Amino acid sequence: MAIKKDMLDQLLEGRDPQAVFSTDGLFDELKKALAERVLNAELDDHLEGEAAEGRTNRRNGYSKKTVLTENAKIDVRIPRDREGTFDPS
């Protein structure tokens, strides 16, 4: 699936092209947003599975983790569940 040109134009609008790949630039922002979106979807799936088993587990905030990438440290919000059974992969 290709990223639409309009979407890229919106992301790049008003940004210094040289700063896109710099530390805390657009590229790092995208990595953080994607990681957090995947983690939240993973927790949703986990909670749905537990609900199907008759358990009443639910979301319980976030914890912060620092992820080391090739060129930066990114602070990612890791979702938690009330029972502490969520182990993100």
Side-chain angles (χ1 to χ4, degrees), residues 41-54:
E42 193 175 349
L43 179 57
D44 288 343
D45 185 61
H46 173 76
L47 294 175
E48 287 172 10
E50 290 198 344
E53 295 172 1

Side-chain angles (χ1 to χ4, degrees), residues 43 47 50 55-61 80-84:
L43 179 57
L47 294 175
E50 290 198 344
R55 298 174 70 182
T56 58
N57 196 3
R58 61 184 188 269
R59 289 179 170 273
N60 188 32
R80 296 186 309 227
D81 64 324
R82 176 81 46 195
E83 294 180 6

Side-chain angles (χ1 to χ4, degrees), residues 4 9 12 29 55 63 68 70 78 82 86-87:
K4 295 182 186 327
D9 290 343
L12 293 170
E29 291 175 28
R55 298 174 70 182
S63 61
L68 301 175
E70 298 166 356
I78 309 293
R82 176 81 46 195
F86 176 58
D87 184 22

